[in-house]
Amino acid sequence: MEALQESYGYLFETELLQEIASVGKLRKVGRGHQIMDIGETITHMPLLLNGAIKILREDENGDELLLYFLERGDSCAMTFSCCMGTKKSEIRAIAEADTELVMVPVEKMNLWMGKYQSWQEFVLNSYHIRMMELLETVDTLAFMKMDERLLKHLQDKCMVNHDEVVQTTHQDIANDLNTSRVVVSRLLKKLENEDKIEMHRNHIKVLDL
DNA sequence: ACATTAAGTGATT
DNA sequence: AATCACTTAATGT
């Protein structure tokens, strides 16, 4: 597990890295695959090595809303709190790109909290970062109009995929933003007229980054 | 050639 | 901004 060293070497001492390597299982997930669903019991916590994962929330009707992306060096804050009592996931996680992650059993969480201060810092820090990300999306939701949200979403996608070309359909975007496809199509056309994007079938190139 | 899926359009609320 | 109803375009079998 040299990949561990590369992604987390600057955070954890070698002793902890070795423990992660010995107890964790490497998992590869293809783009679009579901990693965790709402209501599922959390047994492992993920440490992202590369790729990206999108975190979604769902309403009563089954409509989805994108909360944020996880990238390399991130972990799911949901798993942290689950070890403090709650055991079911409140969110759904789907691979945004082909992703490699290390799955660590949750039992190790508390153990390492006392044993390694680098682990404790990592957990607390991750929690803080997730909180800030969540606040940002709340702001976006509450204060931004659909066209601004759309552009931001495309830019975010570019960010996590390290590519100015977004592989997606209008329908997919509509699902992520919890709006209708027709609205997305029309707003995208507007963005194209403003030379902020280029539209093609099944992919969009973002010019305004 | 036909069916399916993605995207575009006008009208209405 | 959402929804409906319909058209057009691209792609798969």
Side-chain angles (χ1 to χ4, degrees), chain A residues 42-77:
Chain A
I42 300 166
T43 56
H44 292 76
M45 66 165 298
L47 297 171
L48 294 232
L49 296 178
N50 53 50
I53 294 174
K54 63 176 175 182
I55 304 298
L56 307 152
R57 195 96 171 94
E58 189 184 57
D59 73 2
E60 321 82 52
N61 311 319
D63 291 331
E64 294 182 333
L65 174 66
L66 188 145
L67 293 183
Y68 49 73
F69 292 104
L70 295 179
E71 295 176 82
R72 175 165 102 144
D74 287 334
S75 185
C76 183

Side-chain angles (χ1 to χ4, degrees), chain A residues 22-41:
Chain A
S22 70
V23 83
K25 290 175 298 189
L26 180 67
R27 190 173 163 199
K28 298 182 187 189
V29 286
R31 172 189 159 82
H33 272 242
Q34 187 160 300
I35 297 163
M36 181 80 59
D37 201 2
I38 297 161
E40 265 182 48
T41 306

Side-chain angles (χ1 to χ4, degrees), chain A residues 148-203:
Chain A
E148 297 173 293
R149 284 179 62 198
L150 178 58
L151 183 59
K152 182 175 185 304
H153 179 248
L154 291 172
Q155 290 164 340
D156 284 349
K157 279 225 177 218
C158 290
M159 208 80 79
V160 298
N161 289 311
H162 312 107
D163 190 348
E164 71 280 348
V165 176
V166 180
Q167 279 290 133
T168 180
T169 64
H170 298 184
Q171 186 63 62
D172 285 344
I173 298 171
N175 290 341
D176 281 348
L177 299 181
N178 192 29
T179 180
S180 68
R181 195 224 89 217
V182 190
V183 171
V184 171
S185 292
R186 287 182 174 144
L187 291 175
L188 280 173
K189 171 139 289 182
K190 212 174 78 183
L191 289 175
E192 189 174 43
N193 289 335
E194 292 166 5
D195 290 321
K196 291 179 176 165
I197 61 164
E198 253 176 45
M199 273 195 282
H200 308 274
R201 186 176 231 247
N202 284 315
H203 69 277

